[in-house]
Amino acid sequence: MIKNLKRYTLFILLCCWLTVLSAQPKYEVRAVWLTTLGGLDWPKNYAHDGMGIERQKEDLCRILDQLKAINVNTVLFQTRVRATTTYPSDLEPWEGSLSGVPGKTPCYDPLQFAIDECHRRGMEIHAWVVAIPIGKWNTTGCKWVRSRYPSLVKRIGEEGYMNPEAYGTANYIANICEEITTRYDIDGIHLDYIRYPETWKGSMNHENITRIVRRVNERVKIHKPWVKMSCSPIGKSGDLSRYRSNGWNAYSRVRQDAQGWLREGLMDQLYPMMYFSGNNFYPFAIDWQEQSYGRMIISGLGTYMLHPRERNWPLNEVKRQLSVTRDLGIGHCHFRTKFLLDNVKGIYDHMLKNDRYPALIPPMTWAQSIAPTAPTQLQIERTSKGDNLRWSGATDRSDGPYLLYNVYASTEEQVDITKAENLIATRYFKQQLSIRRHQQQRPLHYAITAIDRYGNESAPIYSDTKKPIVMAASSELLTNNGKLLTVPQRNLFDADLLVVCDMQGRTVKTFTNRPQLNISQLPEGMYQLKSLHKKGYSHRLGTFSIKRK
């Protein structure tokens, strides 16, 4: 927990210094929550017949096309709604928003269709699983669970909830997540409402919620360790020294130890629901990032608050939040999709500029850090209609099932793959691509990289035999024993500070300049070491790997 406002200021300054060179980063999670509950975001019609099915599919494709146009790279697709599902489950009944009748099949598999269409557009899709609420007491999902597992269900007023204090609840929710993971080529499991209800009466225990998270993690990762585990905690973890949560926070109010889940390695990403403004947002955003333990933090933005029937926020509020979180190295996720695509107060127009270029999702280096080998062959056929690219030869060195590819292009002969503006295709499945161009345009130069399911990117193969000059540090890793890191004495240039960053360049920890750094509190993984000077310029000193026995 942050103890001093000065640390807030220092952290912001350091982030600004380190992001000066890239207004739009190459690595950033850009996400949306796509709600199927009641068809709030989708679907808008029922699949009564073949025409209804086609309209649902067309509407979803239209939504995904609009999201792709603003370079969204992650879709959180609501898969378990209220003990009802948007896929053919052996464990729970169908969600009623699809066919119009709860428990009735829509005669196609919406989750599989969504996966295929997201992957076709180079997007990740995470199965959004609502964990604890199971709907009104006499609705289809709630009756289904309580008729079969009455000891797992608790009634509060007219609502039914999975009982977090019942040991069987962890297995029940883990079974659903395991079913989704083993059946589908998803990229993540996203747990929503993984907490005590705010209306809960009686004692509450953090371990009851953590037990569910731990069980889900075990059952997902044993099958597919590259599948990201994430959740959406309350937007404030707890009280800060100068800023209070006003009684509504994750840790003490609803027993979500979300930062502890990061520390324990149970979560790869957090999407805190930060639907606040001013000092209820910014200090808490810094707190989430400082306690990230090298994992990904994605701020849940209250985009819906722009609507006049909600809080009627001015657009500048969300614009400031996007700017600050980008400086902090935090991604962003819009709640909800409909408000974003409806362009409420011009938010969609702003995202066209804010996220003008594509971004890659940061790699899960804590789970797997060995990148694929680069493609070895690249052929380009230049025609009157454009360029046809074909490549091959990359080798996956992870346990994932297949490789994906990133394609870079530039009119400059030396294609710079560190620049987001040079990305023209991300997470591309095929090994061939046609690019429409006019003969009058300057010829493009290309670079192709492979990425594994963990997000590790290979070295590139270039379209030109003359390879770009790459200014790289020594290939030797900096020396450490898991507790102390030896700082190389070359090229320090009287640095004021030394900054440890993750492999995406996000600040993890800052030290004053000294011969050895205490890294005992950093989790295992790959890191960069940079020097930082008062005037804001920095030098990369090398990389190091922390691996403890």
Side-chain angles (χ1 to χ4, degrees):
M1 188 70 69
I2 304 172
K3 300 295 184 183
N4 195 308
L5 183 59
K6 291 181 179 178
R7 291 186 61 192
Y8 295 151
T9 306
L10 175 62
F11 193 81
I12 291 174
L13 288 173
L14 291 176
C15 288
C16 291
W17 281 343
L18 289 174
T19 56
V20 154
L21 297 178
S22 179
Q24 292 196 25
K26 176 180 172 178
Y27 290 97
E28 186 174 63
V29 176
R30 301 168 181 173
V32 295
W33 279 286
L34 202 158
T35 310
T36 57
L37 173 66
L40 288 174
D41 290 326
W42 177 87
K44 295 302 182 184
N45 69 289
Y46 296 132
H48 290 310
D49 51 26
M51 290 182 62
I53 293 172
E54 287 308 308
R55 183 178 170 190
Q56 284 190 3
K57 291 181 176 181
E58 289 171 2
D59 285 349
L60 184 58
C61 287
R62 176 184 52 79
I63 289 170
L64 296 179
D65 285 342
Q66 289 178 280
L67 296 175
K68 179 66 176 177
I70 56 172
N71 290 309
V72 165
N73 56 27
T74 303
V75 174
L76 307 179
F77 184 81
Q78 196 168 31
T79 304
R80 186 196 192 222
V81 184
R82 293 293 186 270
T84 52
T85 66
T86 55
Y87 69 97
S89 172
D90 293 335
L91 304 175
E92 291 187 328
W94 278 101
E95 162 60 24
S97 65
L98 299 163
S99 69
V101 180
K104 181 181 178 181
T105 175
C107 297
Y108 79 108
D109 188 339
L111 178 58
Q112 184 61 60
F113 182 76
I115 291 170
D116 291 343
E117 293 303 319
C118 283
H119 285 174
R120 195 188 317 277
R121 292 163 176 79
M123 299 172 173
E124 285 198 357
I125 179 170
H126 298 202
W128 168 8
V129 174
V130 180
I132 300 300
I134 55 176
K136 298 288 185 183
W137 192 249
N138 287 314
T139 53
T140 299
C142 185
K143 286 197 296 184
W144 174 279
V145 180
R146 62 186 176 86
S147 66
R148 291 162 175 77
Y149 306 95
S151 64
L152 302 186
V153 179
K154 186 177 180 67
R155 182 171 185 169
I156 303 177
E158 295 302 314
E159 302 287 334
Y161 296 90
M162 302 297 299
N163 184 355
E165 299 192 338
Y167 276 80
T169 292
N171 276 331
Y172 185 91
I173 297 173
N175 286 342
I176 293 168
C177 296
E178 184 177 36
E179 179 182 59
I180 296 168
T181 302
T182 54
R183 285 190 184 182
Y184 295 96
D185 187 20
I186 56 165
D187 302 291
I189 290 288
H190 178 70
L191 296 178
D192 185 22
Y193 212 112
I194 182 68
R195 60 180 176 88
Y196 278 91
E198 58 269 30
T199 52
W200 187 270
K201 305 296 183 184
S203 62
M204 297 185 290
N205 191 311
H206 291 99
E207 181 54 33
N208 291 328
I209 304 299
T210 298
R211 179 173 58 245
I212 302 171
V213 172
R214 189 177 294 116
R215 194 68 48 82
V216 171
N217 178 284
E218 292 168 354
R219 300 279 281 278
V220 168
K221 296 291 188 178
I222 195 172
H223 297 290
K224 298 177 180 178
W226 58 86
V227 168
K228 296 177 178 67
M229 279 289 303
S230 71
C231 70
S232 49
I234 300 301
K236 302 173 183 180
S237 179
D239 290 337
L240 306 180
S241 60
R242 293 175 62 91
Y243 298 92
R244 299 298 177 185
S245 62
N246 299 316
W248 184 237
N249 64 64
Y251 187 81
S252 62
R253 182 65 180 86
V254 293
R255 302 302 191 267
Q256 289 177 310
D257 187 12
Q259 292 176 344
W261 301 339
L262 292 174
R263 183 175 60 250
E264 193 177 332
L266 299 177
M267 289 288 167
D268 302 300
Q269 299 176 323
L270 287 187
Y271 292 76
M273 300 181 292
M274 304 187 67
Y275 312 150
F276 314 111
S277 61
N279 284 338
N280 284 310
F281 181 93
Y282 302 105
F284 296 94
I286 295 170
D287 179 54
W288 284 114
Q289 180 63 353
E290 286 204 330
Q291 306 301 322
S292 66
Y293 296 92
R295 304 312 199 250
M296 298 177 232
I297 303 295
I298 302 95
S299 57
L301 299 177
T303 305
Y304 73 102
M305 292 289 197
L306 295 168
H307 199 280
R309 288 200 297 270
E310 296 293 341
R311 296 291 180 85
N312 201 26
W313 281 0
L315 179 60
N316 278 340
E317 180 60 48
V318 178
K319 290 170 68 174
R320 282 193 298 268
Q321 292 179 4
L322 285 162
S323 177
V324 170
T325 52
R326 175 165 286 173
D327 283 345
L328 292 171
I330 296 175
H332 48 266
C333 183
H334 295 274
F335 186 80
R336 291 183 289 114
T337 299
K338 182 180 186 300
F339 295 92
L340 174 63
L341 299 188
D342 282 353
N343 200 24
V344 176
K345 292 192 177 173
I347 181 61
Y348 186 86
D349 292 339
H350 176 69
M351 297 312 298
L352 285 168
K353 295 177 289 186
N354 190 79
D355 295 346
R356 178 181 177 184
Y357 303 117
L360 303 183
I361 295 161
M364 299 164 60
T365 53
W366 50 90
Q368 158 70 18
S369 60
I370 302 176
T373 63
T376 56
Q377 298 181 19
L378 172 57
Q379 297 176 337
I380 300 176
E381 178 189 15
R382 300 190 188 272
T383 72
S384 60
K385 294 182 179 180
D387 299 339
N388 298 321
L389 282 63
R390 293 179 181 272
W391 61 90
S392 61
T395 302
D396 195 347
R397 296 194 285 181
S398 76
D399 54 357
Y402 54 79
L403 288 174
L404 300 163
Y405 300 92
N406 299 321
V407 181
Y408 301 80
S410 173
T411 55
E412 301 294 327
E413 184 175 351
Q414 297 185 358
V415 182
D416 188 344
I417 69 166
T418 67
K419 292 183 176 181
E421 56 262 40
N422 289 337
L423 276 166
I424 62 170
T426 61
R427 291 179 51 81
Y428 193 70
F429 269 81
K430 299 178 182 179
Q431 295 183 62
Q432 58 186 50
L433 179 65
S434 295
I435 300 166
R436 290 185 175 274
R437 290 178 56 74
H438 299 295
Q439 286 183 309
Q440 295 85 354
Q441 293 177 294
R442 290 179 62 188
L444 285 177
H445 304 272
Y446 297 97
I448 312 289
T449 63
I451 55 170
D452 61 26
R453 292 302 300 277
Y454 296 88
N456 297 295
E457 186 177 29
S458 76
I461 184 172
Y462 295 97
S463 58
D464 301 284
T465 54
K466 181 181 178 181
K467 302 298 189 297
I469 300 173
V470 179
M471 300 301 294
S474 170
S475 59
E476 295 182 3
L477 296 176
L478 303 181
T479 303
N480 77 90
N481 61 6
K483 296 181 180 180
L484 293 175
L485 171 70
T486 300
V487 178
Q489 295 306 299
R490 64 183 185 277
N491 300 330
L492 278 182
F493 302 109
D494 299 322
D496 302 285
L497 298 171
L498 299 175
V499 182
V500 174
C501 304
D502 62 18
M503 297 307 289
Q504 292 74 56
R506 298 175 300 185
T507 300
V508 175
K509 194 171 180 62
T510 306
F511 300 89
T512 56
N513 190 353
R514 64 189 73 171
Q516 287 190 315
L517 307 181
N518 183 352
I519 58 171
S520 60
Q521 299 303 309
L522 298 183
E524 294 186 352
M526 291 290 295
Y527 297 91
Q528 305 177 66
L529 182 65
K530 298 182 180 181
S531 61
L532 186 63
H533 305 256
K534 287 181 180 179
K535 293 185 179 180
Y537 59 88
S538 67
H539 297 277
R540 183 175 176 274
L541 302 179
T543 60
F544 64 96
S545 173
I546 300 178
K547 195 168 184 64
R548 304 181 181 94
K549 294 182 180 180

